[in-house]
């Protein structure tokens, strides 16, 4: 239960290796959360045990996923150790964003492990780049399946559970990329635009149920996902996003811009005429 | 669905609020309890989430207030669980009887008084509500109705059990004979915390009712300066001739404004109030009515709204005698941090009851009212939780709205025993509340 001072006890992170997701979870644990479920591709359905699970044995998919996934898997293992050191009970379960038919089961498993879910954070996603999507439209459709479709099924299953329990917050990681879609990354931006709209609609549908949806709109996040890219102006970091999310949970914020000044910037950006907008360098 | 909060107006959750008028209706509701369970709710004076049940059912028992009886030979009263102490006082005081224990408000129900095992200014002499209880009628899981007495272990799991053993339908308890409806009150000021503890230790037993109001914003050599209020029921010969000795007509209530800005109670306004209150509380003896002595805040209806929309947190703990350093440490930390607590009350507890989750134990209890928007409050109170637990003390569940589960077994050493009895009375967990979920009770 969220307490009188806005601290929570249980958190489900879908996309358990997400840098932003883990940063949020770590802050919530520092603030008192004690029951954590990390749902990640290749995770097992058992308790994470005393030692972090060794990559490879529990996650057969990793080798095929390449070095970036191996790196994030390592980050999750390290996070599990840190979270436990901070006093939390941590469970790792399997989750595949591309298989919506399994998402209900994932939510149920999390509830079996920790009871009521105070915060659910679907943090999975792929960035990709527009040139690759142009060259391989199938990969573009697959990215939409993760960045939008997966969030819709996971979000709706989570919302059903939260509605039953009469409390809880769904944290949806949208992006300024979806506030107004740019030509430089319009496949990613379109997915985020869809997700943003979905999250707002879901939040309105849940109004009065005791459940909240918080839409988070970070700017360019300097982190593992954007490694090698030049940061855009008003960029942010996973740590800054996480700080803002934790404060937003405390305050019951519905729409969160990180950094906050992006709200004003995008009021202007949304009003820019198309001929001007399409000339933006990136 | 209705959104409910405790008296502190924090963390609202929705539940199906269902009224019950008779023990039979209680039993029927329990028999078809929803998956998220149910919990009883009286007048909503628990500060936190004790009478909330997110996504489940909350049974409003305040309509169960039509049945009561008094045995004039023994002073034993039998009353429906939804009767308030206010109702009871209006019935009993003119007949020469007073409730055995009243907390700082009389707008609580008999059921709530048992579930929280409430205490009052007479704890050092008379212990808590449960000590005066002769029997109680409890509707347990499955809708069975039990009449319990102090010989039953379920009785002592229910006294202080925060409503988690079942729905209380009715109770019998012994009242106190009074000659008048007035109090003879001595007011005295103390210089600092040590002086406060010293005077209370030396003189508490001369009075049936005692309490100290602490000026938490006073610093340095004046830290912990207090106003002591101590009293007894006045005798008939202490009243001026011609007055009706047992008249009981609490003044008509003022209503707090429906809305107040957050931060109205800030360091400045509370310091000004504290200065004025301390200054006006010169040593004196007065005779006053029951209501202003026991329930000064009841005069303002909905005073909890004055804290603004963010609400407030009440923090009450007790540390055993001999652990005064822990009390001193907390008071000096509060004073150093400049924590704004509008009403800070210190009281010496006497022996507790056998209630397994009952709060009072022999020692010092301090209660604070803190606006919930104060920066750093969560961390500060968590630190206090640890100091209190280390000192062998505990935090009061009826006031709590923010503690974590992990220190509970240390604070309530009989928690495991309570759980065993609760589990056998309610194996499926029909009786659930937000507090129970938050603290894994």
């Amino acid at each position: 239960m969220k307490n009188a001072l806005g601290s929570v006890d249980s958190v489900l992170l879908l996309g358990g290796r997400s840098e932003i997701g883990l940063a949020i979870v770590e802050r919530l644990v520092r603030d008192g959360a004690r029951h954590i479920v990390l749902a990640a591709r290749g995770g097992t359905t058992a308790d994470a045990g005393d030692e972090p699970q060794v990559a490879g044995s529990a996650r057969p998919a990793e080798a095929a996923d390449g070095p970036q996934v191996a790196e994030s898997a390592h980050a999750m293992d390290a996070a599990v150790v840190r979270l436990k050191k901070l006093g939390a009970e941590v469970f790792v379960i399997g989750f595949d964003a591309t298989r919506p038919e399994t998402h209900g089961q994932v939510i149920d498993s999390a509830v079996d492990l920790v009871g009521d879910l105070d915060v659910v954070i679907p943090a999975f996603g792929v960035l990709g780049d527009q040139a690759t999507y142009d060259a391989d439209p199938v990969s573009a459709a697959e990215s939409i399946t993760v960045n939008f479709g997966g969030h819709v099924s996971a979000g709706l299953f989570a919302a059903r559970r939260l509605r039953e329990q009469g409390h809880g917050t769904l944290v949806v990681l949208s992006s300024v990329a979806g506030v107004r879609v740019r030509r430089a990354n319009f496949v990613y931006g379109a997915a985020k635009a869809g997700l943003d709209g979905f999250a707002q609609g879901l939040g309105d549908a849940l109004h009065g149920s005791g459940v909240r949806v918080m839409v988070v709109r970070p700017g360019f996040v300097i982190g593992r996902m954007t490694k090698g890219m030049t940061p855009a102006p008003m960029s942010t970091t996973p740590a800054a996003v996480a700080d803002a999310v934790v404060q937003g949970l405390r305050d019951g914020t519905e729409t969160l811009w990180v950094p906050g000044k992006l709200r004003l910037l995008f009021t202007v950006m949304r009003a820019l005429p198309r001929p001007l907008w399409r000339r933006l360098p990136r | 669905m209705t959104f409910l909060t405790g008296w502190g107006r924090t963390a609202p959750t929705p539940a199906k609020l269902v009224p019950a008028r008779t023990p039979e209706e209680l039993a029927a509701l329990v028999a078809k309890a929803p998956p998220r369970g149910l919990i009883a709710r009286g007048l909503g004076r628990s500060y936190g989430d004790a009478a909330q049940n997110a996504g489940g059912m909350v049974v409003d028992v305040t309509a169960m207030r039509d049945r009561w009886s008094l045995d004039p030979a023994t002073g034993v009263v039998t009353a429906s669980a939804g009767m308030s102490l206010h109702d009871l006082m209006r019935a009993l005081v003119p007949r020469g009887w007073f409730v055995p224990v009243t907390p700082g408000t009389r707008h609580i129900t008999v059921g709530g008084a048992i579930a929280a095992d409430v205490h009052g200014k007479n704890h050092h002499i008379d212990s808590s509500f449960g000590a005066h209880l002769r029997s109680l009628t409890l509707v347990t899981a499955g809708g069975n109705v039990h009449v319990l007495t102090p010989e039953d272990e379920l009785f002592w799991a229910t006294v202080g059990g925060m409503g988690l053993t079942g729905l209380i339908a009715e109770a019998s308890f012994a009242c106190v004979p009074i000659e008048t409806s007035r109090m003879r009150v001595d007011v005295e000021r103390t210089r600092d915390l040590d002086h406060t503890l010293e005077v209370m230790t030396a003189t508490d037993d001369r009075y049936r009712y005692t309490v100290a109001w602490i000026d938490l914003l006073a610093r340095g050599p004046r830290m912990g300066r207090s106003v002591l209020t101590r009293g007894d029921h006045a005798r008939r010969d202490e009243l001026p001739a011609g007055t009706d000795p047992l008249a009981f007509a609490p003044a008509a209530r003022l209503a707090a404004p429906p809305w107040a800005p957050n931060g109205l109670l800030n360091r400045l306004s509370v310091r000004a109030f504290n200065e004025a209150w301390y200054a006006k509380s010169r040593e004196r003896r007065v005779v006053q009515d029951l209501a202003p002595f026991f329930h000064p805040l009841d005069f303002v209806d909905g005073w909890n709204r004055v804290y603004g929309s963010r609400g407030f947190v009440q923090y009450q703990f007790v540390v055993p005698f001999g652990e005064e350093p822990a009390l001193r440490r907390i008071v000096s930390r509060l004073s150093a941090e400049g924590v704004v607590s509008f009403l800070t009350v210190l009281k010496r507890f006497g022996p507790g009851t056998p209630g397994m989750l009952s709060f009072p134990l022999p020692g010092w209890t301090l209660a604070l009212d803190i606006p919930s928007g104060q920066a750093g409050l969560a961390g500060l109170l968590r630190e206090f939780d640890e100091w209190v637990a280390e000192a062998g003390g505990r935090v009061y569940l009826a006031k709590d709205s923010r503690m974590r589960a992990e220190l509970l077994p240390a604070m309530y050493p009989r928690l495991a025993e309570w759980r065993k009895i609760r589990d056998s009375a309610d194996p499926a967990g029909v009786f659930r509340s937000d507090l129970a979920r938050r603290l894994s009770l």
Side-chain angles (χ1 to χ4, degrees), chain B residues 68-328:
Chain B
W68 73 278
S69 63
L70 165 72
D71 179 346
T74 59
V76 171
V77 165
T78 301
S80 303
M83 258 192 116
S84 69
L85 298 194
H86 177 73
D87 295 335
L88 279 170
M89 283 179 206
R90 290 212 307 194
L92 295 175
V93 171
R95 291 174 168 82
W97 295 95
F98 193 62
V99 293
V101 168
T102 173
T105 172
R106 58 186 183 277
H107 298 287
I108 65 158
T109 60
V110 169
I114 296 167
D117 195 10
V118 298
H119 57 270
K121 294 178 181 178
N122 56 342
H123 192 277
H124 63 296
I125 304 279
D126 294 325
S127 193
S128 50
F129 200 87
H132 308 271
L133 204 54
R134 298 294 172 82
S135 72
L136 66 90
T137 307
L138 188 72
V139 180
T140 55
N144 305 312
V145 180
H146 301 268
V147 177
L148 304 171
T149 67
E151 278 71 54
D152 300 303
E153 52 179 16
L154 188 54
F155 180 95
W156 292 114
T158 302
V159 171
M162 301 310 289
L164 297 168
T165 56
L167 299 176
I168 299 166
E170 194 177 88
S172 298
F173 47 92
C175 286
V176 178
I178 48 174
E179 284 184 28
T180 76
S181 59
R182 317 292 203 281
M183 301 298 295
R184 177 181 65 254
V185 183
D186 284 344
V187 178
E188 186 182 338
R189 285 189 298 196
T190 59
R191 294 184 302 272
D192 55 32
L193 186 61
D194 285 341
H195 187 215
T196 307
L197 301 187
E198 188 189 309
V199 174
M200 287 181 88
T201 305
T203 63
D204 243 17
D205 289 345
R206 295 182 205 158
Y207 302 88
R208 187 166 200 164
Y209 302 95
T210 71
V211 74
W213 166 86
I214 295 199
D215 178 1
L216 258 199
L217 288 175
R219 294 191 185 204
R222 300 189 305 170
M223 186 191 84
R225 68 175 183 178
S226 304
V227 176
L228 306 186
T229 313
R230 287 134 348 138
D232 283 293
H233 293 288
R235 289 188 314 272
R236 194 168 294 217
D237 60 20
E238 287 170 297
L239 301 191
T243 49
D244 174 2
L246 289 167
F248 182 69
R253 293 198 282 174
L254 284 178
W259 178 87
N262 289 313
L264 181 66
L265 294 180
N266 54 43
R267 209 162 294 168
L268 225 61
S269 61
V270 172
R271 177 165 288 148
F273 173 85
N274 287 2
E275 286 295 341
W277 190 258
Y278 187 81
K280 105 176 214 329
S281 301
R282 282 179 219 294
E283 190 166 330
R284 62 178 192 271
R285 166 167 291 195
V286 293
V287 172
Q288 65 181 160
D289 289 345
L290 288 169
F293 178 76
F294 285 107
H295 317 116
L297 286 172
D298 281 350
F299 182 61
V300 182
D301 210 8
W303 61 263
N304 54 344
R305 290 197 296 263
V306 175
Y307 284 85
S309 62
R310 280 199 298 249
F312 68 105
V313 171
Q314 167 122 169
Y315 188 70
Q316 182 171 0
F317 66 88
V318 58
V319 291
F321 291 126
E323 295 291 343
E324 286 77 8
L327 174 68
R328 214 166 275 133

Side-chain angles (χ1 to χ4, degrees), chain A residues 1-9 29-35 86-87 115-116 161 163-167 206-211 250-251, chain B residues 1 3 10-14 36 49 53-56 310 312-313 371-373 377-378 381-382 401-404 406 433-435 437-438 440:
Chain A
M1 300 293 310
K2 185 171 169 176
N3 74 16
L5 298 176
S7 300
V8 298
D9 178 60
V29 169
R30 285 185 192 282
D31 190 46
R34 286 295 174 265
H35 297 96
L86 291 169
D116 282 10
R161 167 65 201 182
R163 189 193 278 276
E164 275 166 18
Q165 68 185 33
H167 69 102
L206 288 167
H207 187 79
S209 69
V211 181
R250 213 175 266 296
D251 300 341
Chain B
M1 288 287 186
F3 277 83
T10 52
T13 55
R36 297 279 295 175
D49 45 8
N53 183 16
R310 280 199 298 249
F312 68 105
V313 171
S372 67
L377 185 59
L381 294 183
R382 274 211 291 269
S401 59
R402 33 67 49 196
M403 205 169 64
R404 289 203 302 244
E406 51 209 44
S433 65
D434 286 0
L435 177 112
R437 288 194 183 89
R438 182 168 54 79
S440 308

